[in-house]
Amino acid sequence: MAFSSSLWSSLFIPNPNKTNRFSTFSPSPSPANHKLSTTTFAIPPLSTATAADVSGAIDGTTIAVLSGGFVAGLTALVSLTDPERRRREQAEEVGGDDKKVVKEYFNNDGFQRWKKIYGDTDDVNRVQRDIRVGHAKTVENALMMLKEEGSLQGVTICDAGCGTGSLSIPLAKEGAVVCASDISAAMVAEAEKQAKEQLVPSALPKFVVSDLESLDGLYDAVVCLDVMIHYPQSKADGMIAHLASLAEKRLILSFAPKTFYYDALKRVGELFPGPSKATRAYLHSEADVENALRKVGWTIKKRGLIATQFYFAKLIEAVPM
């Protein structure tokens, strides 16, 4: 599943000077020498925008752009509010924690919304279409990473958080032996349906309804795209360690990057929750992810940023030390 939480409700801050941009992936430098570029104009929001969130915010001709000073002012206002209250209310509604909120969302309204974004229907708005492009580029780059060392024929790959199969199906077409999992039964059913329409029976991935913590087995590679946004760093460390324990050669992760501006804008967005109920969202610093990998004996081999107007994701490939 992709970045799915509603960081931005009725407030959106697209970058009017920005066109779609995708990074070139290269051997990984150290975090000290590898810094995300920043700008003085408005920073675009993450890919958590949804159809319901965008309605009323962008009318096709008017785009609101916040200055850095206004963001700073609103960020100060956040300190006087309690955005965690809405998060607690979401959890109480489904009688559980983050995991139950995510499961409930992606089995209901979230499934319908993201099925459209992941699909090829024309029934999407401008923001959703932009997110589709960004997610597709993340999938494309992950696939390129996996294919760089040769044919995928017979290579075992776990696609953890497979969504509707946007990576699992291309992997199977390349001859990989794929285990595809998702916490959402609705997502898994859709992925399996699409796989049966596109693949011969012998090439079908093994589809499993499971959260990340319950996955087991050993694979040549494990891929987890756009899922870490559902994990606070305290839990993300454990999740990264668990995924690494399933991988023998390679681990590919994408996550929403945590920088000063992204964190500030996320907090501002929480002041405007809008009418839709989505999931909680967590940003992660590249250094924290790298530290979590190092603790379990892995190091980042490649890293890059994939960015469109409404979609931002860091994509990394890690290997055992």
Side-chain angles (χ1 to χ4, degrees), residues 93-127:
E93 285 182 4
V94 298
D97 56 9
D98 280 333
K99 188 186 300 184
K100 289 187 178 180
V101 171
V102 170
K103 184 176 181 179
E104 177 75 12
Y105 174 72
F106 280 103
N107 275 320
N108 294 286
D109 291 346
F111 167 67
Q112 296 299 332
R113 180 172 296 133
W114 288 95
K115 178 185 174 183
K116 289 199 307 181
I117 293 174
Y118 290 157
D120 56 9
T121 177
D122 291 330
D123 184 24
V124 290
N125 60 35
R126 183 177 67 84
V127 175

CSV table of all heavy atoms in Angstrom, one decimal, residues 93-127:
chain,number,residue,atom,x,y,z
A,93,GLU,N,-12.3,4.4,17.6
A,93,GLU,CA,-13.4,4.1,16.8
A,93,GLU,C,-13.4,2.6,16.3
A,93,GLU,O,-14.4,2.0,16.1
A,93,GLU,CB,-13.5,5.0,15.5
A,93,GLU,CG,-14.0,6.4,15.8
A,93,GLU,CD,-14.0,7.2,14.6
A,93,GLU,OE1,-13.7,6.7,13.5
A,93,GLU,OE2,-14.3,8.4,14.7
A,94,VAL,N,-12.2,2.1,16.1
A,94,VAL,CA,-12.0,0.7,15.7
A,94,VAL,C,-11.6,-0.2,16.8
A,94,VAL,O,-11.3,-1.4,16.6
A,94,VAL,CB,-11.0,0.6,14.5
A,94,VAL,CG1,-11.5,1.4,13.3
A,94,VAL,CG2,-9.6,1.1,14.9
A,95,GLY,N,-11.5,0.4,18.0
A,95,GLY,CA,-11.1,-0.4,19.2
A,95,GLY,C,-9.7,-1.0,19.2
A,95,GLY,O,-9.5,-2.1,19.6
A,96,GLY,N,-8.8,-0.2,18.7
A,96,GLY,CA,-7.4,-0.7,18.6
A,96,GLY,C,-6.4,0.4,18.4
A,96,GLY,O,-6.6,1.6,18.5
A,97,ASP,N,-5.2,-0.1,18.0
A,97,ASP,CA,-4.0,0.8,17.8
A,97,ASP,C,-3.8,1.1,16.4
A,97,ASP,O,-4.7,0.9,15.5
A,97,ASP,CB,-2.8,0.2,18.4
A,97,ASP,CG,-2.5,-1.2,17.8
A,97,ASP,OD1,-3.2,-1.6,16.9
A,97,ASP,OD2,-1.6,-1.9,18.4
A,98,ASP,N,-2.6,1.6,16.0
A,98,ASP,CA,-2.3,2.0,14.6
A,98,ASP,C,-2.6,0.8,13.7
A,98,ASP,O,-3.2,1.0,12.6
A,98,ASP,CB,-0.8,2.3,14.5
A,98,ASP,CG,-0.5,3.7,14.9
A,98,ASP,OD1,-1.4,4.6,14.9
A,98,ASP,OD2,0.6,3.9,15.4
A,99,LYS,N,-2.2,-0.4,14.0
A,99,LYS,CA,-2.4,-1.5,13.1
A,99,LYS,C,-3.9,-1.7,12.8
A,99,LYS,O,-4.3,-2.0,11.6
A,99,LYS,CB,-1.8,-2.8,13.7
A,99,LYS,CG,-1.8,-4.0,12.8
A,99,LYS,CD,-1.3,-5.2,13.5
A,99,LYS,CE,0.1,-5.1,14.1
A,99,LYS,NZ,0.6,-6.3,14.7
A,100,LYS,N,-4.7,-1.7,13.8
A,100,LYS,CA,-6.2,-1.9,13.6
A,100,LYS,C,-6.8,-0.7,12.7
A,100,LYS,O,-7.7,-0.9,11.9
A,100,LYS,CB,-6.9,-2.1,14.9
A,100,LYS,CG,-6.6,-3.4,15.6
A,100,LYS,CD,-7.5,-3.6,16.8
A,100,LYS,CE,-7.2,-4.9,17.4
A,100,LYS,NZ,-8.0,-5.2,18.6
A,101,VAL,N,-6.3,0.5,13.0
A,101,VAL,CA,-6.8,1.6,12.2
A,101,VAL,C,-6.4,1.4,10.7
A,101,VAL,O,-7.2,1.6,9.8
A,101,VAL,CB,-6.2,2.9,12.7
A,101,VAL,CG1,-6.5,4.1,11.8
A,101,VAL,CG2,-6.7,3.3,14.1
A,102,VAL,N,-5.2,1.0,10.5
A,102,VAL,CA,-4.7,0.8,9.1
A,102,VAL,C,-5.5,-0.3,8.4
A,102,VAL,O,-6.0,-0.2,7.3
A,102,VAL,CB,-3.2,0.5,9.1
A,102,VAL,CG1,-2.8,0.0,7.7
A,102,VAL,CG2,-2.4,1.7,9.5
A,103,LYS,N,-5.7,-1.4,9.2
A,103,LYS,CA,-6.4,-2.5,8.6
A,103,LYS,C,-7.9,-2.2,8.3
A,103,LYS,O,-8.4,-2.5,7.2
A,103,LYS,CB,-6.4,-3.7,9.6
A,103,LYS,CG,-7.1,-5.0,9.1
A,103,LYS,CD,-6.9,-6.1,10.2
A,103,LYS,CE,-7.5,-7.4,9.7
A,103,LYS,NZ,-7.3,-8.5,10.7
A,104,GLU,N,-8.5,-1.4,9.2
A,104,GLU,CA,-9.9,-1.0,8.9
A,104,GLU,C,-10.0,-0.1,7.7
A,104,GLU,O,-10.8,-0.2,6.9
A,104,GLU,CB,-10.4,-0.3,10.2
A,104,GLU,CG,-11.8,0.3,10.1
A,104,GLU,CD,-12.9,-0.8,10.2
A,104,GLU,OE1,-12.6,-1.9,10.5
A,104,GLU,OE2,-14.1,-0.4,9.8
A,105,TYR,N,-9.0,0.9,7.7
A,105,TYR,CA,-9.1,1.8,6.6
A,105,TYR,C,-8.9,1.2,5.2
A,105,TYR,O,-9.6,1.4,4.3
A,105,TYR,CB,-8.0,2.9,6.8
A,105,TYR,CG,-7.8,3.9,5.7
A,105,TYR,CD1,-8.7,4.9,5.5
A,105,TYR,CD2,-6.7,3.8,4.9
A,105,TYR,CE1,-8.6,5.8,4.5
A,105,TYR,CE2,-6.5,4.8,3.9
A,105,TYR,CZ,-7.5,5.7,3.7
A,105,TYR,OH,-7.3,6.6,2.6
A,106,PHE,N,-7.9,0.3,5.1
A,106,PHE,CA,-7.6,-0.3,3.8
A,106,PHE,C,-8.5,-1.4,3.4
A,106,PHE,O,-8.4,-2.0,2.3
A,106,PHE,CB,-6.1,-0.7,3.8
A,106,PHE,CG,-5.2,0.4,3.5
A,106,PHE,CD1,-4.5,1.0,4.5
A,106,PHE,CD2,-5.1,1.0,2.2
A,106,PHE,CE1,-3.6,2.0,4.3
A,106,PHE,CE2,-4.2,2.0,2.0
A,106,PHE,CZ,-3.5,2.6,3.0
A,107,ASN,N,-9.4,-1.8,4.3
A,107,ASN,CA,-10.4,-2.8,4.0
A,107,ASN,C,-11.7,-2.1,3.6
A,107,ASN,O,-12.7,-2.8,3.2
A,107,ASN,CB,-10.7,-3.8,5.1
A,107,ASN,CG,-9.7,-4.9,5.1
A,107,ASN,OD1,-9.4,-5.5,4.0
A,107,ASN,ND2,-9.2,-5.3,6.2
A,108,ASN,N,-11.8,-0.8,3.7
A,108,ASN,CA,-13.0,0.0,3.5
A,108,ASN,C,-12.8,1.2,2.6
A,108,ASN,O,-12.4,1.0,1.4
A,108,ASN,CB,-13.7,0.4,4.8
A,108,ASN,CG,-14.1,-0.8,5.6
A,108,ASN,OD1,-15.1,-1.5,5.3
A,108,ASN,ND2,-13.4,-1.2,6.7
A,109,ASP,N,-13.0,2.4,3.1
A,109,ASP,CA,-12.8,3.6,2.2
A,109,ASP,C,-11.4,3.7,1.6
A,109,ASP,O,-11.3,4.0,0.4
A,109,ASP,CB,-13.1,4.8,3.0
A,109,ASP,CG,-14.6,4.9,3.5
A,109,ASP,OD1,-15.4,4.2,2.9
A,109,ASP,OD2,-14.8,5.8,4.3
A,110,GLY,N,-10.4,3.3,2.3
A,110,GLY,CA,-9.1,3.4,1.8
A,110,GLY,C,-8.8,2.5,0.6
A,110,GLY,O,-8.1,2.8,-0.3
A,111,PHE,N,-9.4,1.3,0.7
A,111,PHE,CA,-9.3,0.4,-0.4
A,111,PHE,C,-9.8,1.0,-1.7
A,111,PHE,O,-9.2,0.9,-2.8
A,111,PHE,CB,-10.0,-0.9,-0.1
A,111,PHE,CG,-10.1,-1.8,-1.3
A,111,PHE,CD1,-9.0,-2.4,-1.9
A,111,PHE,CD2,-11.3,-2.1,-1.9
A,111,PHE,CE1,-9.1,-3.2,-3.1
A,111,PHE,CE2,-11.5,-2.9,-3.0
A,111,PHE,CZ,-10.3,-3.4,-3.6
A,112,GLN,N,-11.0,1.5,-1.7
A,112,GLN,CA,-11.6,2.1,-2.9
A,112,GLN,C,-10.8,3.3,-3.4
A,112,GLN,O,-10.6,3.4,-4.6
A,112,GLN,CB,-13.1,2.6,-2.6
A,112,GLN,CG,-14.0,1.4,-2.2
A,112,GLN,CD,-14.2,0.4,-3.3
A,112,GLN,OE1,-14.0,0.7,-4.5
A,112,GLN,NE2,-14.4,-0.9,-2.9
A,113,ARG,N,-10.3,4.1,-2.5
A,113,ARG,CA,-9.6,5.3,-2.9
A,113,ARG,C,-8.2,4.9,-3.6
A,113,ARG,O,-7.9,5.3,-4.6
A,113,ARG,CB,-9.3,6.2,-1.7
A,113,ARG,CG,-8.5,7.4,-2.0
A,113,ARG,CD,-8.5,8.3,-0.7
A,113,ARG,NE,-9.9,8.7,-0.4
A,113,ARG,CZ,-10.4,8.7,0.8
A,113,ARG,NH1,-9.7,8.2,1.8
A,113,ARG,NH2,-11.6,9.1,1.0
A,114,TRP,N,-7.5,4.0,-2.9
A,114,TRP,CA,-6.2,3.6,-3.4
A,114,TRP,C,-6.2,2.6,-4.6
A,114,TRP,O,-5.3,2.5,-5.4
A,114,TRP,CB,-5.3,3.1,-2.3
A,114,TRP,CG,-4.9,4.3,-1.4
A,114,TRP,CD1,-5.5,4.7,-0.3
A,114,TRP,CD2,-3.9,5.2,-1.7
A,114,TRP,NE1,-4.9,5.8,0.2
A,114,TRP,CE2,-3.9,6.1,-0.6
A,114,TRP,CE3,-2.9,5.3,-2.7
A,114,TRP,CZ2,-3.0,7.2,-0.6
A,114,TRP,CZ3,-2.0,6.3,-2.6
A,114,TRP,CH2,-2.1,7.3,-1.5
A,115,LYS,N,-7.3,1.9,-4.7
A,115,LYS,CA,-7.5,1.0,-5.9
A,115,LYS,C,-7.6,1.9,-7.1
A,115,LYS,O,-7.0,1.6,-8.2
A,115,LYS,CB,-8.8,0.2,-5.7
A,115,LYS,CG,-9.1,-0.6,-6.9
A,115,LYS,CD,-10.4,-1.3,-6.8
A,115,LYS,CE,-10.8,-2.1,-8.0
A,115,LYS,NZ,-12.2,-2.7,-7.9
A,116,LYS,N,-8.2,3.1,-7.0
A,116,LYS,CA,-8.3,4.0,-8.1
A,116,LYS,C,-6.9,4.6,-8.4
A,116,LYS,O,-6.5,4.7,-9.6
A,116,LYS,CB,-9.3,5.1,-7.9
A,116,LYS,CG,-10.7,4.7,-7.9
A,116,LYS,CD,-11.7,5.9,-8.1
A,116,LYS,CE,-11.4,7.0,-7.1
A,116,LYS,NZ,-12.4,8.1,-7.3
A,117,ILE,N,-6.2,5.0,-7.4
A,117,ILE,CA,-4.9,5.6,-7.6
A,117,ILE,C,-3.9,4.6,-8.2
A,117,ILE,O,-3.2,5.0,-9.1
A,117,ILE,CB,-4.4,6.2,-6.2
A,117,ILE,CG1,-5.3,7.3,-5.8
A,117,ILE,CG2,-2.9,6.6,-6.3
A,117,ILE,CD1,-4.9,7.9,-4.4
A,118,TYR,N,-3.9,3.4,-7.7
A,118,TYR,CA,-3.0,2.4,-8.2
A,118,TYR,C,-3.4,1.9,-9.6
A,118,TYR,O,-2.6,1.3,-10.3
A,118,TYR,CB,-3.0,1.2,-7.3
A,118,TYR,CG,-2.3,1.4,-5.9
A,118,TYR,CD1,-2.6,0.6,-4.9
A,118,TYR,CD2,-1.4,2.4,-5.7
A,118,TYR,CE1,-2.1,0.8,-3.6
A,118,TYR,CE2,-0.8,2.6,-4.5
A,118,TYR,CZ,-1.1,1.8,-3.5
A,118,TYR,OH,-0.6,1.9,-2.2
A,119,GLY,N,-4.6,2.1,-10.0
A,119,GLY,CA,-5.1,1.5,-11.2
A,119,GLY,C,-4.9,2.4,-12.4
A,119,GLY,O,-4.1,3.4,-12.4
A,120,ASP,N,-5.7,2.2,-13.5
A,120,ASP,CA,-5.5,3.0,-14.7
A,120,ASP,C,-6.8,3.8,-15.1
A,120,ASP,O,-6.9,4.3,-16.2
A,120,ASP,CB,-5.0,2.2,-15.9
A,120,ASP,CG,-6.0,1.0,-16.1
A,120,ASP,OD1,-7.1,0.9,-15.5
A,120,ASP,OD2,-5.6,0.1,-16.9
A,121,THR,N,-7.7,3.8,-14.2
A,121,THR,CA,-9.0,4.5,-14.4
A,121,THR,C,-8.7,6.0,-14.6
A,121,THR,O,-7.8,6.6,-14.0
A,121,THR,CB,-10.0,4.3,-13.3
A,121,THR,OG1,-11.2,5.1,-13.5
A,121,THR,CG2,-9.4,4.8,-11.9
A,122,ASP,N,-9.6,6.6,-15.4
A,122,ASP,CA,-9.5,8.1,-15.6
A,122,ASP,C,-10.3,8.8,-14.5
A,122,ASP,O,-10.3,10.1,-14.5
A,122,ASP,CB,-10.1,8.5,-17.0
A,122,ASP,CG,-9.2,8.0,-18.1
A,122,ASP,OD1,-8.0,7.9,-17.9
A,122,ASP,OD2,-9.7,7.7,-19.2
A,123,ASP,N,-11.0,8.1,-13.7
A,123,ASP,CA,-11.8,8.7,-12.6
A,123,ASP,C,-10.9,9.1,-11.4
A,123,ASP,O,-11.1,8.6,-10.3
A,123,ASP,CB,-12.9,7.7,-12.2
A,123,ASP,CG,-13.8,8.3,-11.1
A,123,ASP,OD1,-13.9,9.5,-11.1
A,123,ASP,OD2,-14.4,7.5,-10.4
A,124,VAL,N,-9.9,9.9,-11.6
A,124,VAL,CA,-9.1,10.4,-10.6
A,124,VAL,C,-8.9,11.9,-10.8
A,124,VAL,O,-8.9,12.4,-11.9
A,124,VAL,CB,-7.7,9.7,-10.6
A,124,VAL,CG1,-7.8,8.3,-10.1
A,124,VAL,CG2,-7.0,9.8,-11.9
A,125,ASN,N,-8.6,12.6,-9.7
A,125,ASN,CA,-8.3,14.1,-9.9
A,125,ASN,C,-6.8,14.3,-10.1
A,125,ASN,O,-6.0,13.4,-10.2
A,125,ASN,CB,-8.9,14.8,-8.7
A,125,ASN,CG,-8.2,14.4,-7.4
A,125,ASN,OD1,-7.0,14.0,-7.3
A,125,ASN,ND2,-9.0,14.4,-6.3
A,126,ARG,N,-6.5,15.5,-10.2
A,126,ARG,CA,-5.1,15.9,-10.6
A,126,ARG,C,-4.1,15.4,-9.5
A,126,ARG,O,-3.0,14.9,-9.8
A,126,ARG,CB,-5.0,17.4,-10.7
A,126,ARG,CG,-3.6,17.9,-11.2
A,126,ARG,CD,-3.5,19.3,-11.4
A,126,ARG,NE,-3.7,20.1,-10.2
A,126,ARG,CZ,-2.8,20.4,-9.3
A,126,ARG,NH1,-1.5,20.0,-9.5
A,126,ARG,NH2,-3.0,21.1,-8.2
A,127,VAL,N,-4.5,15.5,-8.2
A,127,VAL,CA,-3.6,15.1,-7.2
A,127,VAL,C,-3.4,13.6,-7.2
A,127,VAL,O,-2.3,13.1,-7.1
A,127,VAL,CB,-4.1,15.6,-5.8
A,127,VAL,CG1,-3.3,15.0,-4.7
A,127,VAL,CG2,-4.2,17.1,-5.7
